[in-house]
């Protein structure tokens, strides 16, 4: 199948699943890529934790922070479904900066991420990322703001109303009545920008080797494996990734490394027009689309 026909077919599959999105797959050796709307801007949700890890590790490398420093962390005490780690703790804890990096990146712990943002605020994270030549990713707010959505204000039986608002309250220019879904107010980025970040982490770049290696390790240990991982994990490949989920948004960025030496950056940024929290079928379609794009490049 030629590229144009493939992209047309995959767009139809996304539409049938109630999704629209941006996808980009790039061969990290040749630079060849295939994409669907790669330059559209999206709220990044928890994907912002990857730039946060890069900035934190760079400051550790420079001696501005000590990874062994222990911080006193107040518990999140969040009862709604979704948040992980310290976000669900009931009692205070003392955690080292290095371990907060693991919690933030590998299990997407929002409280751990905000403890790191307390050390390196969003504008500084953005500055460090830009200093490494990574353009097109904004870092505007800590993670706690992601948790303050309409979904937290409805009773369990009415949460669908928050998703209905998320579906219906957007504008043609990617604005939104819910701030976390508005690309002019939320941390954001495009599929191309996130692919550039992955390339900078997996191939020689301005990001120091020790920083890139640690971020790769953290992403390799990502425990969220239900979205793209089923289509990329095998005994002959390694899948390293970070997910981002917020109301109608379902994202994942990652790199699949094959035993034959090939490596592909994979970026999937999507939103659903279905007012439901659980959509395993849509996530399966996301994975199939990303896999078909990778397969087309690998031929």
């Amino acid at each position: 199948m030629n590229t144009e026909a493939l992209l047309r077919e995959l767009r139809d599959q996304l539409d049938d699943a109630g999704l629209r999105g941006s996808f980009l797959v790039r061969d990290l050796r040749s630079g060849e890529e295939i994409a669907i709307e790669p330059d559209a801007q999206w709220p990044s949700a928890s994907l912002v934790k990857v730039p946060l890890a890069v900035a934190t590790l760079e400051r550790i490398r420079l001696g501005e922070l000590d990874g062994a420093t222990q911080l006193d962390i107040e518990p999140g005490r969040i009862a709604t479904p979704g948040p992980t780690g310290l976000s669900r703790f009931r009692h205070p804890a003392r955690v080292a900066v290095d371990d907060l990096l693991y919690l933030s990146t590998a299990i997407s712990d929002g409280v751990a991420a905000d403890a790191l943002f307390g050390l390196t605020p969003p504008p500084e994270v953005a500055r460090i990322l830009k200093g490494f030549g990574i353009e097109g990713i904004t870092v505007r707010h800590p993670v706690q703001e992601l948790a303050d959505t309409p979904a937290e204000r409805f009773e369990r039986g009415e949460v669908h109303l928050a998703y209905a608002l998320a579906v219906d309250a957007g504008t043609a220019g990617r604005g939104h009545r819910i701030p976390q879904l508005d690309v002019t107010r939320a941390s954001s980025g495009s599929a191309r920008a996130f692919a550039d970040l992955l390339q900078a982490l997996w191939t020689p770049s301005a990001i120091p080797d020790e920083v890139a290696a640690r971020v790769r390790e953290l992403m390799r240990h990502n425990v969220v494996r239900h979205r793209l991982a089923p289509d990329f994990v095998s005994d002959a490949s390694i899948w390293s990734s970070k997910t981002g989920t917020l109301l109608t948004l379902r994202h994942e960025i990652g790199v699949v490394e094959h035993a034959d030496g090939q490596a592909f950056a994979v970026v999937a940024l999507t939103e659903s027009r279905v007012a439901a929290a659980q959509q395993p079928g849509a996530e399966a379609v996301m994975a199939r689309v990303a896999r078909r794009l990778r397969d087309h490049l690998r031929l």
Side-chain angles (χ1 to χ4, degrees):
M1 182 181 296
N2 65 40
T3 299
E4 183 178 344
L6 174 65
L7 294 178
R8 185 167 54 248
E9 177 186 324
L10 296 181
R11 287 190 182 98
D12 288 343
Q13 289 182 15
L14 290 168
D15 187 61
D16 289 344
L19 295 171
R20 69 173 295 267
S22 294
F23 288 76
L24 189 149
V25 178
R26 180 182 298 166
D27 186 328
L28 293 180
R29 291 195 304 188
S30 70
E32 185 181 2
E33 62 184 38
I34 183 171
I36 297 171
E37 295 188 41
D39 298 310
Q41 288 289 313
W42 294 83
S44 55
S46 286
L47 299 184
V48 75
K49 293 167 185 172
V50 178
L52 173 61
V54 171
T56 303
L57 287 162
E58 172 63 0
R59 294 192 65 207
I60 291 173
R61 185 188 73 86
L62 294 173
E64 298 173 2
L65 296 174
D66 184 345
T69 298
Q70 296 188 3
L71 303 181
D72 292 321
I73 309 296
E74 289 299 312
R77 297 193 180 97
I78 294 176
T80 53
T84 59
L86 295 168
S87 302
R88 307 197 77 85
F89 275 30
R90 297 183 178 183
H91 306 286
R94 177 167 289 185
V95 187
V97 170
D98 273 336
D99 295 326
L100 290 169
L101 275 165
Y102 167 74
L103 292 171
S104 172
T105 312
I107 73 168
S108 205
D109 182 342
V111 168
D114 278 347
L116 296 176
F117 270 128
L119 299 174
T120 308
E124 180 67 2
V125 173
R127 185 195 66 79
I128 291 171
L129 203 64
K130 190 170 183 178
F132 288 140
I134 307 299
E135 304 282 352
I137 296 175
T138 66
V139 185
R140 293 190 171 109
H141 54 75
V143 175
Q144 174 57 33
E145 294 187 23
L146 294 177
D148 186 22
T149 73
E152 280 67 48
R153 300 171 193 172
F154 287 102
E155 296 296 328
R156 180 179 293 269
E158 298 179 329
V159 170
H160 67 281
L161 298 175
Y163 286 85
L165 177 62
V167 169
D168 295 335
T171 70
R174 307 293 294 162
H176 207 285
R177 288 172 58 190
I178 298 175
Q180 297 91 335
L181 301 180
D182 187 329
V183 296
T184 67
R185 292 183 282 176
S187 297
S188 63
S190 66
R192 190 178 306 283
F194 280 110
D196 290 344
L197 175 58
L198 293 173
Q199 181 158 4
L201 290 168
W202 260 263
T203 64
S205 72
I207 299 178
D209 290 345
E210 63 195 86
V211 172
R214 177 64 173 146
V215 176
R216 293 196 302 269
E217 178 187 20
L218 291 167
M219 294 178 67
R220 188 165 64 249
H221 290 119
N222 178 20
V223 302
V224 184
R225 314 291 282 183
H226 67 281
R227 191 161 290 165
L228 301 189
D231 276 74
F232 287 100
V233 168
S234 76
D235 288 346
S237 66
I238 298 171
W239 174 245
S240 308
S241 71
K242 179 72 191 76
T243 57
T245 308
L246 180 68
L247 294 174
T248 54
L249 301 179
R250 286 163 176 79
H251 303 332
E252 187 158 0
I253 65 172
V255 170
V256 57
E257 301 170 82
H258 298 284
D260 63 4
Q262 286 187 299
F264 297 86
V266 181
V267 179
L269 311 177
T270 74
E271 67 178 357
S272 173
R273 63 175 181 269
V274 179
Q278 304 299 326
Q279 297 184 46
E283 298 194 344
V285 170
M286 283 179 63
R288 280 203 304 273
V289 168
R291 173 67 179 265
R292 290 281 303 279
L293 293 170
R294 192 290 312 269
D295 290 349
H296 187 76
L297 272 191
R298 201 180 184 200
L299 291 176

